[in-house]
């Protein structure tokens, strides 16, 4: 079945530690997105990428980094510079040019700082 | 002012009731309107998609867009406990590379 796989489902980070969230899709989608979801705040865009080796900052990119070396993969690193990283992280994808028709989302990774 | 405003609720109704979920938006250039449903600890799934003004019906769900008022609605008829979820509206402009999401409304249908 085609879809988006996010791993791990739950992740715990110690203070000062970098962690990487995985996002893999087998939908042959060009565009991929990372969102952060906090209670009562909806989805906030962190980074997005339209093609391999290219990505743009979203609304809340500070403290995060991404790479897009393969079409099917878009990992997100939460760095120690992100002061409040505890949140639910969602990866999404769509065909380039189909942004207006909605995204496919993964099941999310819940990150907790301990 | 946020581009899309959505009452976060929570909203609690009895089973069988008609549910109305709403969003307002500020940019008249938005042409594409979506509703997503998100179950607890899951990713959102696309529920309804509408282009420009008008109504769209899919089973018990009806999406309505009023561009003159910059107001979008999702109606759920004969609501079921399985409809309990967070509902997110999303809007987009032709050519834009990203969607703009509302805050989401948490809905509970009580048996």
């Amino acid at each position: 079945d085609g879809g988006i796989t996010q791993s791990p489902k739950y992740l715990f980070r110690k203070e000062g530690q970098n962690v990487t969230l995985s996002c893999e899709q087998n939908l042959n989608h060009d565009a991929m997105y990372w969102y952060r979801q906090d209670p009562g705040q909806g989805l906030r865009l962190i980074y997005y990428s339209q093609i391999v080796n290219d990505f743009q900052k979203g609304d809340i990119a500070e403290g995060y980094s991404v790479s897009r070396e393969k079409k099917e993969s878009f990992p997100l690193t939460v760095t120690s510079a992100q002061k409040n990283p505890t949140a639910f992280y969602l990866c999404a994808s769509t065909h380039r040019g189909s942004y207006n028709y909605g995204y496919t989302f993964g099941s999310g990774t819940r990150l907790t700082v301990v | 002012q946020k581009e899309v405003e959505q009452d976060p609720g929570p909203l609690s109704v009895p089973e069988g009731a008609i549910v109305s979920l709403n969003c307002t938006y500020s940019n008249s250039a938005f042409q594409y309107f979506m509703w997503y449903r998100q179950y607890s600890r899951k990713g959102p799934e696309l529920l309804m998609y509408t282009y420009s003004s008008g109504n769209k019906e899919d089973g018990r769900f009806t999406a309505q867009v009023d561009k003159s008022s910059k107001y979008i609605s999702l109606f759920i008829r004969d609501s079921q406990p399985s409809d309990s979820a967070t509902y997110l509206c999303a809007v987009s402009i032709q050519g834009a590379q990203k969607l703009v999401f509302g805050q989401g409304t948490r809905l509970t249908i009580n048996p």
Side-chain angles (χ1 to χ4, degrees):
Chain A
D1 285 338
I4 298 180
T5 301
Q6 289 189 242
S7 61
K9 194 172 180 66
Y10 299 96
L11 186 58
F12 297 91
R13 191 194 95 166
K14 293 181 180 179
E15 294 283 350
Q17 194 177 46
N18 291 356
V19 291
T20 297
L21 284 59
S22 172
C23 177
E24 303 277 335
Q25 54 97 1
N26 60 3
L27 300 164
N28 199 32
H29 284 170
D30 309 285
M32 297 186 74
Y33 304 80
W34 274 106
Y35 285 91
R36 170 179 172 143
Q37 188 173 33
D38 297 279
Q41 295 199 45
L43 302 183
R44 292 187 289 169
L45 182 63
I46 304 172
Y47 269 98
Y48 61 106
S49 169
Q50 306 302 312
I51 56 174
V52 174
N53 293 324
D54 187 44
F55 48 83
Q56 289 79 40
K57 292 182 179 180
D59 302 316
I60 56 165
E62 185 174 351
Y64 299 97
S65 66
V66 293
S67 63
R68 187 83 187 278
E69 297 177 1
K70 298 186 297 181
K71 185 177 182 178
E72 58 270 22
S73 179
F74 192 39
L76 173 73
T77 296
V78 184
T79 75
S80 57
Q82 171 50 242
K83 297 306 178 189
N84 185 23
T86 295
F88 190 50
Y89 291 87
L90 288 160
C91 180
S93 70
T94 190
H95 281 297
R96 195 175 176 192
S98 299
Y99 320 112
N100 300 130
Y101 305 103
Y103 302 158
T104 300
F105 281 89
S107 295
T109 292
R110 185 164 298 278
L111 174 63
T112 304
V113 174
V114 296
Chain B
Q1 183 187 7
K2 290 185 178 180
E3 290 186 281
V4 181
E5 296 277 2
Q6 184 176 6
D7 186 343
L11 181 62
S12 181
V13 301
E15 182 175 355
I18 296 175
V19 177
S20 172
L21 302 168
N22 309 294
C23 288
T24 58
Y25 61 93
S26 56
N27 188 344
S28 58
F30 288 130
Q31 297 174 284
Y32 299 86
F33 307 93
M34 283 143 271
W35 284 96
Y36 283 83
R37 179 175 61 195
Q38 184 180 21
Y39 291 115
S40 181
R41 296 189 174 86
K42 299 290 185 183
E45 55 179 334
L46 184 63
L47 193 60
M48 299 283 285
Y49 159 83
T50 311
Y51 171 69
S52 194
S53 286
N55 292 1
K56 185 173 184 179
E57 191 172 316
D58 184 1
R60 298 183 294 109
F61 298 88
T62 299
Q64 190 173 80
V65 177
D66 182 348
K67 292 194 75 179
S68 62
S69 303
K70 300 190 186 70
Y71 197 81
I72 59 176
S73 301
L74 178 70
F75 298 97
I76 307 174
R77 294 185 300 279
D78 187 25
S79 56
Q80 306 293 311
S82 59
D83 295 327
S84 298
T86 295
Y87 290 80
L88 298 131
C89 62
V91 299
S92 182
I93 299 172
Q94 176 69 37
Q97 296 180 354
K98 52 184 178 176
L99 303 179
V100 180
F101 286 88
Q103 298 96 308
T105 299
R106 187 173 176 182
L107 172 67
T108 300
I109 309 296
N110 301 303

